[in-house]
Amino acid sequence: MTAPLVDPFARAITYLRVSVTDRCDFRCVYCMSENMTFLPKRELLTLEELDRMCTTFIGLGVKKLRITGGEPLVRRDILTFFRAMTRHLDSGALSELTVTTNGSQLEKYAADLAACGVRRINVSLDTLDETKFATITRWGRLPQVLRGIDAAQAAGLRVKINTVALKGFNEDELFTLTDWCARRDMDLTFIEVMPMGDLGNEDRVGQYWSLKDLRARLSERVTLTDLDERSGGPARYVRVVETGQKIGFITPLTHNFCESCNRVRLTCTGELYMCLGQEDMADLRKPLRADLTSNAPLEAAIRTAISHKPKGHDFDYSRARPDGQMTRHMSHTGG
Ligand code: SAM
Ligand code: SF4
């Protein structure tokens, strides 16, 4: 039996987030600049390499795989990868295969994803107003995403909506979004925006809106009860008593989830980030490519990396303001 991955703080690593591309068909203002330079294709792990990576992690006890990006569904032939991962669901080695997407390609892929064993997906959506949607995503079109969500639900996928809370942008849609999700039986999670320093968004579309504030605003209209449920990540959940709807709050800059952190993040070039808030990473592409017949060097590199997983991240609200913004983009590590 292979020993499972346990870090120095006795946390079992059972959740891997994999960014399969740095590219995207949107240019959300808080995530990317208008003119992005993407990595040359040769830098990316091939689909076969992504398979080997994920399979090795699964062999080491990873139970949940979240595919993200950039926009994961714009990666060419991505379904080949999903189909390949199905074997791990079938064998029981993997409990969950899931995706975080902007929804633009769901109309095309939802049924195939469901056929691959995907049961739940996260769709990012910050507004239900067409004009505002085009402003915040720059290149996105709301009707296309809404058709994608329809297709996902029609295919039997459980949809959770992720909404970045932006002051002066979607504050006025708090109840519209909440009610829309409740009507469609979709859970909703709000994400606190992480300030990115170098996106050239001096026009400031949307500003930091604290989720404490957002939650207080919600409580004026509905009754919220805290749920014990923990994901091992920065999300906390409440139940709306009146409707039974579940609402999540992701505050990536808080520390209070680190003790239960069960996850690591793999970038599309094979860098493993042990912590969302730390720059420390391990290059797994090298050991992967060093031996084409055995995964032993890769496995050893993963174990070494996990033995360096830090206790917690070290950014906080004060440091995350304009004088100390995050330098690594969410599109790099997949959020
Ligand atoms: N393209 C996919 C999507 O948008 O869902 C997956 C990748 S995206 C980087 C993952 C999540 O990160 C999205 O929900 C997005 O809203 C969030 N995100 C991106 N930049 C962010 C920022 N600066 N602060 C907070 N959340 C951010
Ligand atoms: Fe693309 Fe997602 Fe970033 Fe928006 S948040 S630009 S959809 S990767």
Side-chain angles (χ1 to χ4, degrees), residues 21-33 36 68-72 100-104 124 126 136-138 164 330-332 334:
T21 178
D22 61 333
R23 286 161 202 256
C24 188
D25 51 345
F26 290 6
R27 291 289 180 279
C28 303
V29 296
Y30 46 73
C31 180
M32 293 192 180
S33 60
M36 292 291 290
T68 174
E71 173 47 42
T100 299
T101 172
N102 65 23
S104 70
S124 304
D126 303 330
I136 203 79
T137 62
R138 292 203 188 94
V164 176
M330 299 285 268
S331 60
H332 189 58

Side-chain angles (χ1 to χ4, degrees), residues 17 19 21 23-26 28-32 67-73 99-103 122-126 161-166 191-196 199 250 252 326 328-335:
R17 298 174 72 105
S19 171
T21 178
R23 286 161 202 256
C24 188
D25 51 345
F26 290 6
C28 303
V29 296
Y30 46 73
C31 180
M32 293 192 180
I67 309 307
T68 174
E71 173 47 42
L73 301 182
V99 195
T100 299
T101 172
N102 65 23
N122 289 354
V123 181
S124 304
L125 181 89
D126 303 330
I161 300 294
N162 280 343
T163 299
V164 176
L166 296 162
I191 309 177
E192 212 159 59
V193 73
M194 293 217 246
M196 299 293 166
L199 296 179
I250 298 185
M326 288 277 292
R328 179 158 28 97
H329 290 177
M330 299 285 268
S331 60
H332 189 58
T333 46

Side-chain angles (χ1 to χ4, degrees), residues 41-286:
K41 292 233 169 59
R42 64 175 182 282
E43 294 287 322
L44 298 195
L45 299 180
T46 64
L47 295 179
E48 293 74 21
E49 287 174 331
L50 281 168
D51 184 332
R52 268 182 77 198
M53 281 281 190
C54 294
T55 301
T56 305
F57 272 99
I58 293 164
L60 293 172
V62 160
K63 290 285 187 196
K64 177 169 174 179
L65 213 52
R66 177 174 294 284
I67 309 307
T68 174
E71 173 47 42
L73 301 182
V74 301
R75 169 102 194 225
R76 186 200 285 255
D77 282 340
I78 192 63
L79 276 184
T80 306
F81 170 77
F82 278 99
R83 287 193 189 105
M85 288 302 105
T86 306
R87 71 185 188 279
H88 298 306
L89 289 171
D90 291 344
S91 76
L94 189 64
S95 329
E96 187 169 21
L97 174 62
T98 180
V99 195
T100 299
T101 172
N102 65 23
S104 70
Q105 308 302 312
L106 276 178
E107 195 176 15
K108 196 158 93 195
Y109 288 141
D112 290 319
L113 289 173
C116 290
V118 174
R119 294 286 166 261
R120 303 190 300 167
I121 59 169
N122 289 354
V123 181
S124 304
L125 181 89
D126 303 330
T127 173
L128 287 169
D129 178 289
E130 246 184 273
T131 311
K132 281 161 77 181
F133 189 87
T135 306
I136 203 79
T137 62
R138 292 203 188 94
W139 296 3
R141 296 297 169 258
L142 181 65
Q144 186 182 350
V145 172
L146 296 181
R147 287 198 304 274
I149 293 172
D150 288 342
Q153 290 195 304
L157 296 173
R158 179 116 194 109
V159 177
K160 178 164 81 82
I161 300 294
N162 280 343
T163 299
V164 176
L166 296 162
K167 207 174 193 64
F169 178 76
N170 54 13
E171 266 179 300
D172 58 339
E173 288 186 77
L174 180 57
F175 295 106
T176 324
L177 277 161
T178 314
D179 294 347
W180 178 72
C181 287
R183 271 200 314 278
R184 300 194 54 140
D185 190 26
M186 301 188 294
D187 292 329
L188 169 63
T189 293
F190 292 102
I191 309 177
E192 212 159 59
V193 73
M194 293 217 246
M196 299 293 166
D198 52 350
L199 296 179
N201 297 323
E202 282 70 30
D203 52 332
R204 290 271 180 194
V205 184
Q207 308 259 356
Y208 174 79
W209 179 18
S210 100
L211 293 193
K212 204 168 152 225
D213 203 54
L214 184 154
R215 187 184 161 144
R217 192 88 63 85
L218 266 180
S219 301
E220 289 169 12
R221 173 99 64 99
V222 292
T223 319
L224 305 176
T225 52
D226 284 302
L227 295 176
D228 275 342
E229 202 173 310
R230 297 215 158 172
S231 60
R236 289 289 170 270
Y237 297 96
V238 297
R239 177 90 57 205
V240 178
V241 174
E242 290 81 359
T243 59
Q245 185 180 19
K246 196 166 97 176
I247 297 184
F249 302 99
I250 298 185
T251 44
L253 303 182
T254 55
H255 283 100
N256 52 18
F257 61 92
C258 295
E259 76 282 355
S260 61
C261 183
N262 58 358
R263 60 197 59 194
V264 286
R265 297 171 161 78
L266 185 72
T267 70
C268 55
T269 56
E271 294 169 345
L272 188 72
Y273 281 88
M274 276 66 78
C275 172
L276 182 59
Q278 303 258 6
E279 297 296 324
D280 189 33
M281 59 86 174
D283 173 19
L284 297 184
R285 192 178 58 184
K286 212 163 157 199

